Amino acid sequence: MRSFVASTLLVSLALAAPYKDYGYSYGENSRLNVQVGDRPYYLVDNMDEGPLKQKLQGCSEGPFKPSNFVISHRGAPLQYPEHTIEGLVAARRQGAGILECDVAFTKDKKLVCRHAQCDLHTTTDILNRTDLASKCTTPFTPAANGKVASAKCCTSDITEMEFKSLCGKMDGFNTNGTTVEEYMDGTPYFRTNLYATCGTLMTHNDYINKVNSWGLQFTPELKTPEVKMPFNNYTQEQYAQDLIDAYKTRKIDPSRVWPQSFLPDDIFYWLKQEPAFGKQAIYLDQRVDTPEGYENATASIPSLAARGVRIMAPAFFALTKLNANGTIVPSEYAIAVKKAGMDIITWSFERSGWLNKGGDYYYQYVAKAIDNDGDMYTVLDVLARQVGIKAMFSDWPATVTYYANCFGLGK
């Protein structure tokens, strides 16, 4: 018994030791015991037999550390309301080294964390708030006479103070809802409402303060506005500048900030006006969503590199394909990006639900090779070791943390 207790104490002390070998200070993170939970083990057990499964099984007992290969996508929205303090705390505990805030603006031109400017009706309780629901761009209309239920509530409809008064909920809606309660009850089948009691919404400044206190890294995404710009004299350029100024005001080193945008003009603006931040700007490339767009995007890579773009970030389906033997290999797009000397960051792991029917949007080019949940790690392995991605966004960071630690990524 003494031997067992002593061994347990030694293991506990080792797990609690500061992670100084990761190259930056963790602040409150210095004694963080990263926990990956049971999901990675479920996925590994579900894998087909082979060397990759054996390798991942060999890493089962950790220890696990934060990794910059792991980017928290909207917090940990597989189980927590997205862009909430609670989700951010969960992502940190799961080992994400980089945490995301999708940045939108309010009526009073303050920056807040929300995946889309006009998603408050699906991600918060605004429709239950009679004082605020009336301010929505499109108030709730119940399903009736063959027409689906609808609503549209935007951050730009309300002030920062009003935004902060809302509760976050799991993203989802029921188009057949005849009441607000029915409409809001639309959480996807593979997620849960267990932690959706009243998620604490964040301003951009709240997010910066929290992540900075942990000594982790930032990736703010400038969301494409859904209102006409300029908005009450608020220009796109000022919006992009305000995002960067929030970090400059706090004297945060640009090396810790990875600004993102789907709009190339935002990337070019940062490269020209804020080059210290712009050199780490991530171009979120949605052009790949159609065959023609994919071809044009691939062809444009050299010209983007010539203009100073250093990081491309398409959805991860665009980075792989099946060869003649049905094996998952890097795509033409992935090869072109690497040939141009650029880095790749990709999105988003854990957004697909069950994979036993071939996956969905994120697995569309390799669906014929997918037949179980464990194949997630097969795809991630190709992305990490053959495509050479720099980092992966995940809705449940622990899944990627497990893999990253096993292969020593993101130190």
Side-chain angles (χ1 to χ4, degrees):
M1 179 61 72
R2 289 180 182 175
S3 176
F4 173 78
V5 171
S7 297
T8 302
L9 179 60
L10 287 173
V11 170
S12 298
L13 289 172
L15 289 175
Y19 301 131
K20 296 180 180 178
D21 57 325
Y22 265 62
Y24 52 89
S25 170
Y26 279 88
E28 292 180 12
N29 240 38
S30 62
R31 298 182 63 81
L32 179 69
N33 180 1
V34 169
Q35 299 176 10
V36 297
D38 54 3
R39 179 158 176 77
Y41 301 93
Y42 163 78
L43 295 176
V44 172
D45 288 344
N46 193 243
M47 293 177 68
D48 297 333
E49 297 299 327
L52 178 59
K53 181 173 183 176
Q54 294 173 5
K55 169 68 173 176
L56 291 172
Q57 286 175 326
C59 301
S60 65
E61 305 313 305
F64 299 103
K65 302 177 181 179
S67 170
N68 289 338
F69 183 80
V70 186
I71 303 178
S72 156
H73 183 239
R74 313 188 201 179
L78 185 65
Q79 294 196 36
Y80 290 84
E82 63 185 48
H83 288 312
T84 60
I85 292 292
E86 294 80 6
L88 210 64
V89 169
R92 176 219 181 197
R93 174 62 66 181
Q94 292 177 27
I98 306 174
L99 303 172
E100 181 189 44
C101 166
D102 292 321
V103 179
F105 57 83
T106 60
K107 185 175 182 178
D108 48 351
K109 304 170 189 175
K110 304 295 185 181
L111 302 186
V112 296
C113 297
R114 197 82 335 236
H115 179 252
Q117 184 177 30
C118 298
D119 72 1
L120 296 181
H121 52 289
T122 68
T123 64
T124 76
D125 66 343
I126 191 169
L127 294 178
N128 275 335
R129 291 282 304 277
T130 55
D131 57 329
L132 297 180
S134 62
K135 298 184 179 184
C136 290
T137 297
T138 306
F140 172 70
T141 301
N145 302 319
K147 294 184 178 181
V148 299
S150 63
K152 184 177 181 180
C153 304
C154 307
T155 58
S156 51
D157 291 334
I158 58 177
T159 66
E160 178 187 57
M161 183 177 296
E162 291 169 332
F163 173 86
K164 288 277 287 180
S165 73
L166 297 172
C167 288
K169 76 175 192 70
M170 296 299 285
D171 186 15
F173 61 99
N174 173 14
T175 57
N176 295 317
T178 58
T179 66
V180 165
E181 289 71 21
E182 289 179 355
Y183 178 78
M184 293 173 63
D185 186 17
T187 300
Y189 66 89
F190 58 92
R191 296 181 182 164
T192 177
N193 288 319
L194 184 61
Y195 304 113
T197 54
C198 180
T200 307
L201 301 196
M202 298 181 290
T203 66
H204 185 221
N205 286 335
D206 292 335
Y207 154 82
I208 294 175
N209 292 338
K210 180 62 70 174
V211 175
N212 196 40
S213 75
W214 295 334
L216 296 175
Q217 299 197 21
F218 312 83
T219 183
E221 178 188 335
L222 195 72
K223 296 307 299 186
T224 301
E226 295 184 46
V227 295
K228 185 178 180 180
M229 299 293 280
F231 172 78
N232 293 339
N233 298 318
Y234 192 51
T235 65
Q236 184 70 26
E237 292 77 13
Q238 187 60 57
Y239 179 31
Q241 187 63 53
D242 285 350
L243 182 146
I244 299 299
D245 285 347
Y247 298 89
K248 294 172 67 175
T249 297
R250 290 166 175 77
K251 302 187 185 308
I252 291 172
D253 193 302
S255 66
R256 295 175 61 200
V257 184
W258 306 82
Q260 321 164 54
S261 180
F262 280 102
L263 299 180
D265 284 348
D266 292 338
I267 306 297
F268 300 144
Y269 175 87
W270 290 325
L271 284 168
K272 181 179 180 180
Q273 301 297 333
E274 295 289 350
F277 291 88
K279 67 181 182 181
Q280 292 196 157
I282 302 169
Y283 178 11
L284 299 166
D285 194 354
Q286 209 164 22
R287 299 173 299 167
V288 298
D289 278 358
T290 66
E292 182 181 4
Y294 176 93
E295 185 176 339
N296 291 337
T298 302
S300 74
I301 296 300
S303 62
L304 288 170
R307 294 192 65 176
V309 179
R310 299 188 182 186
I311 306 173
M312 299 300 296
F316 68 78
F317 79 83
L319 300 173
T320 58
K321 67 175 186 177
L322 297 180
N323 65 13
N325 297 322
T327 302
I328 302 173
V329 296
S331 69
E332 292 83 2
Y333 181 101
I335 293 170
V337 174
K338 285 299 183 179
K339 184 178 180 180
M342 305 162 82
D343 286 326
I344 300 173
I345 289 175
T346 192
W347 45 277
S348 294
F349 224 52
E350 294 283 27
R351 287 198 68 79
S352 299
W354 304 325
L355 300 189
N356 60 352
K357 296 183 180 180
D360 59 2
Y361 171 81
Y362 291 98
Y363 297 89
Q364 58 186 284
Y365 286 178
V366 299
K368 292 181 179 179
I370 300 295
D371 59 16
N372 57 56
D373 283 356
D375 285 329
M376 290 173 60
Y377 276 136
T378 303
V379 173
L380 181 59
D381 189 61
V382 173
L383 291 168
R385 296 202 289 162
Q386 295 186 45
V387 173
I389 63 172
K390 186 179 184 69
M392 169 66 83
F393 283 90
S394 179
D395 280 25
W396 198 243
T399 306
V400 183
T401 295
Y402 186 101
Y403 179 92
N405 274 259
C406 197
F407 284 91
L409 302 175
K411 293 183 179 181

